Amino acid sequence: MTDAEDRKPKSDEARSAFLPPGGAAVDGDMSTTSEFAIPEGLAVPKVTGTESEVTSEFALPEGLDVSQAPAADPEGSAFTPPSTYSSKHAPSAFTPPTGIPVVSLTKDVPWQDRMRTMLRMPVAERPAPETVQRGDESGPAVPRVLDLTLRIGELLLAGGEGAEDVETAMFAVCRSYGLDRCEPNVTFTLLAISYQPSLVDDPVTASRTVRRRGTDYTRLAAVYQLVDDLSDDETAVSLEEAYRRLAEIRRNRHPYPGWALTGASGLLAGAASVLVGGDLIVFVAAALGAMLGDRLAWLCAGRGLPEFYQFTVAAMPPAAIGVALTLGHVDVKASAVITGGLFALLPGRALVAGVQDGLTGFYITASARLLEVLYFFVGIVAGVLMVLYFGVQLGARLNPDAALGVSDDPVMLIGASMLLSLAFAVLLQQERSTVVWVTLNGGVAWIVYGAMHYAGDISPVASTAAAAGLVGLFGQLLSRYQFASALPYTTAAIGPLLPGSATYFGLLAIAQNKVDAGLVSLSKAVALAMAIAIGVNLGSEISRMFLRIGSAEKRRAAKRTRGF
């Protein structure tokens, strides 16, 4: 028997093992060959309907009664409201039935107000930016935009701008290039900004440290002009053009030479001495002392000494000249000479910026600024006290009451206050176009202070606060009309209000071993300084809240005039 014949019967026998009882299928049907086939005669219950047979081991046995949760109130999902939630009495954690009100941002107001409004809103509630005008089809270069933003913020912070205004400018730059989900952060010497493209993308963060600080309001105005052009829809400023203009701003020389700054410090001290009762001789003596102190401070700065020692050295010459005049029995008010020299050194700009940061919620930056002011003030105190102490030991009879006399000629006092503001503006390196306005603003401040304090017999703190508030109001109006920073219009105008005489009286009393009287006078100086800062900030906030200055038509005309 062949191999094929041997395999054939075995195959037939194997196949027969799978045939159901009753033989093979008939009528042309295929034979059942599966071992899972149901034997003939075995009754199997048929499933009714379209439901599938329950085969899960987690199925409940038949006959077991289990209470089911109502279908309308399912529990267990993180996105399902709890059973105690009622839409009629929704808690604050849920969106109210009326929705979140949309903030209306008009284009007729300056970009500072629009950006400040959005900056104070949560990221999720900020309106989306408009179509990006600057950038190619692939979108803006995020690292370069963040770098440009940090460089602009560095110039503003180094120039003395407040923390909120710096963040507003940084936010405006990012929004102008379409980066809406960005968060700037300013803490005195550190600038940081973070941008997150979406909720699922990784954020991009960059930071920059401010190493040097300088007073140049011309550069500050140029930076504001750049941010203004970037925020305008009608000007297409590319990243390359913005970098080029920023480099030109950095390379720009100061508008006034060194000898002009020294002369301005002398004029400031002389004008301040006239405000406290000095005559022509006192004017010249105070001017010479301030100029000599300024040159010594420049020499110390060139040697790399910190600013604390620069203020200490600069405070010595005016005090030394006043003591020398007293020892020489010259019939002049030596106290007025020393007081005038102190006016040129008091850090009014840093004080106003520090209080403004505190009032707007930037407490870390405000604390750092006020601590810086404290160190400068201690440096001035140290310099003046050393000279006064040696003067008292040598027999100099300094009378604090000699500086209390004020001239009866209001025209001369107003002229002296305007001259002080003019010299202060030059020291701050302001643009020549703003010097006239800030000079007039300083005259108005002294008129208000003199009318309230000398004519109305109102306390000097309240009079100073009212005058400073008017300075802040006028400065904010002028800045909004020009779409620029308010610092050039306010900082120099508060010069006549600085507490130079109260500071000198306190130092003189301490030098004469009258510590209690000295501390009282220094406390008065601190109160006057706080009144100045709060008044300036309050005037600025009032102007932003209730007044609408500036329009899109004026702005477009200005752009066309500049050639854009």
Side-chain angles (χ1 to χ4, degrees):
M1 183 180 292
T2 62
D3 294 337
E5 292 175 350
D6 292 339
R7 290 192 297 269
K8 185 175 181 181
K10 293 179 180 180
S11 175
D12 294 340
E13 292 176 0
R15 184 179 64 178
S16 64
F18 296 97
L19 293 176
V26 294
D27 298 334
D29 294 340
M30 297 179 60
S31 300
T32 304
T33 60
S34 174
E35 62 181 351
F36 297 101
I38 300 175
E40 185 177 354
L42 180 63
V44 178
K46 297 183 178 180
V47 181
T48 59
T50 58
E51 296 181 359
S52 60
E53 184 178 357
V54 178
T55 59
S56 174
E57 60 181 350
F58 298 100
L60 296 176
E62 185 178 357
L64 180 62
D65 187 13
V66 179
S67 59
Q68 301 291 334
D73 190 18
E75 296 284 351
S77 175
F79 300 97
T80 304
S83 58
T84 58
Y85 172 74
S86 175
S87 60
K88 294 182 179 180
H89 305 284
S92 58
F94 294 89
T95 303
T98 56
I100 299 175
V102 179
V103 178
S104 177
L105 300 175
T106 61
K107 296 183 179 181
D108 293 338
V109 298
W111 60 267
Q112 295 96 320
D113 294 345
R114 291 186 284 115
M115 295 300 109
R116 184 180 290 105
T117 302
M118 285 190 289
L119 190 63
R120 294 176 178 177
M121 297 169 57
V123 179
E125 299 179 9
R126 293 173 184 169
E130 299 178 357
T131 305
V132 181
Q133 303 98 3
R134 310 160 187 89
D136 52 12
E137 297 179 356
S138 61
V142 175
R144 295 194 66 195
V145 172
L146 297 184
D147 179 71
L148 176 67
T149 302
L150 290 174
R151 291 178 183 272
I152 290 177
E154 178 189 9
L155 289 179
L156 293 177
L157 187 62
E161 192 64 84
E164 186 180 34
D165 294 326
V166 175
E167 287 193 0
T168 301
M170 295 171 64
F171 187 70
V173 174
C174 288
R175 293 276 299 192
S176 64
Y177 288 101
L179 306 185
D180 57 327
R181 302 182 64 87
C182 61
E183 283 294 335
N185 187 20
V186 177
T187 54
F188 189 55
T189 58
L190 180 64
L191 296 167
I193 188 167
S194 178
Y195 169 70
Q196 188 174 13
S198 64
L199 294 176
V200 297
D201 294 331
D202 295 332
V204 181
T205 305
S207 62
R208 195 173 183 88
T209 303
V210 178
R211 300 294 182 183
R212 297 182 58 185
R213 296 177 181 271
T215 305
D216 190 347
Y217 282 2
T218 300
R219 178 180 296 175
L220 188 70
V223 175
Y224 259 83
Q225 186 61 62
L226 175 59
V227 179
D228 184 26
D229 293 339
L230 291 175
S231 304
D232 191 7
D233 299 334
E234 296 185 355
T235 57
V237 182
S238 62
L239 277 174
E240 289 73 15
E241 176 67 16
Y243 269 107
R244 184 190 64 80
R245 292 180 57 179
L246 191 62
E248 290 181 354
I249 292 172
R250 286 180 173 272
R251 288 194 301 264
N252 276 349
R253 301 183 62 182
H254 298 304
Y256 306 103
W259 62 266
L261 299 180
T262 302
S265 63
L267 290 177
L268 192 152
S273 65
V274 173
L275 290 178
V276 292
D279 52 10
L280 181 59
I281 299 178
V282 172
F283 180 94
V284 175
L288 289 177
M291 288 189 290
L292 181 58
D294 180 77
R295 286 294 91 190
L296 290 177
W298 277 99
L299 181 61
C300 294
R303 299 293 181 179
L305 288 178
E307 287 185 301
F308 175 85
Y309 301 104
Q310 297 177 26
F311 275 83
T312 302
V313 172
M316 289 183 177
I321 291 178
V323 172
L325 292 175
T326 303
L327 292 175
H329 303 286
V330 181
D331 189 15
V332 295
K333 295 181 179 179
S335 300
V337 176
I338 302 176
T339 303
L342 291 178
F343 264 86
L345 299 175
L346 293 178
R349 172 183 57 87
L351 176 66
V352 172
V355 175
Q356 180 181 359
D357 290 340
L359 294 176
T360 53
F362 293 84
Y363 301 113
I364 297 178
T365 308
S367 302
R369 287 186 188 271
L370 294 178
L371 186 61
E372 180 187 34
V373 172
L374 178 62
Y375 272 102
F376 291 163
F377 191 77
V378 170
I380 297 172
V381 168
V384 175
L385 273 182
M386 281 190 291
V387 176
L388 291 181
Y389 178 78
F390 285 109
V392 171
Q393 296 299 320
L394 292 175
R397 296 181 179 180
L398 298 172
N399 184 13
D401 296 332
L404 291 176
V406 179
S407 175
D408 297 332
D409 188 1
V411 177
M412 186 177 66
L413 294 178
I414 296 174
S417 64
M418 295 176 67
L419 180 61
L420 192 152
S421 300
L422 173 63
F424 204 171
V426 174
L427 286 177
L428 295 175
Q429 300 280 0
Q430 292 190 195
E431 290 182 302
R432 292 178 174 86
S433 59
T434 63
V435 170
V436 177
W437 294 107
V438 74
T439 301
L440 296 176
N441 202 9
V444 171
W446 182 259
I447 291 174
V448 174
Y449 173 79
M452 295 181 64
H453 178 55
Y454 296 113
D457 199 17
I458 302 176
S459 67
V461 176
S463 303
T464 301
L470 199 60
V471 167
L473 178 61
F474 286 169
Q476 192 63 226
L477 293 179
L478 292 172
S479 66
R480 290 162 69 89
Y481 183 77
Q482 299 292 336
F483 293 95
S485 173
L487 285 180
Y489 300 99
T490 57
T491 305
I494 65 173
L497 305 176
L498 292 176
S501 58
T503 304
Y504 166 71
F505 296 155
L507 298 180
L508 180 59
I510 293 176
Q512 293 177 345
N513 202 19
K514 300 177 182 179
V515 181
D516 294 339
L519 292 179
V520 170
S521 185
L522 290 179
S523 301
K524 178 182 177 182
V526 172
L528 291 174
M530 294 295 293
I532 292 173
I534 295 175
V536 170
N537 182 262
L538 181 60
S540 301
E541 293 296 333
I542 290 175
S543 65
R544 279 196 289 260
M545 289 174 58
F546 299 104
L547 300 178
R548 296 280 298 275
I549 301 297
S551 61
E553 289 75 11
K554 176 190 177 300
R555 188 171 182 168
R556 296 191 188 100
K559 300 295 182 185
R560 288 194 297 269
T561 303
R562 291 195 299 267
F564 289 96

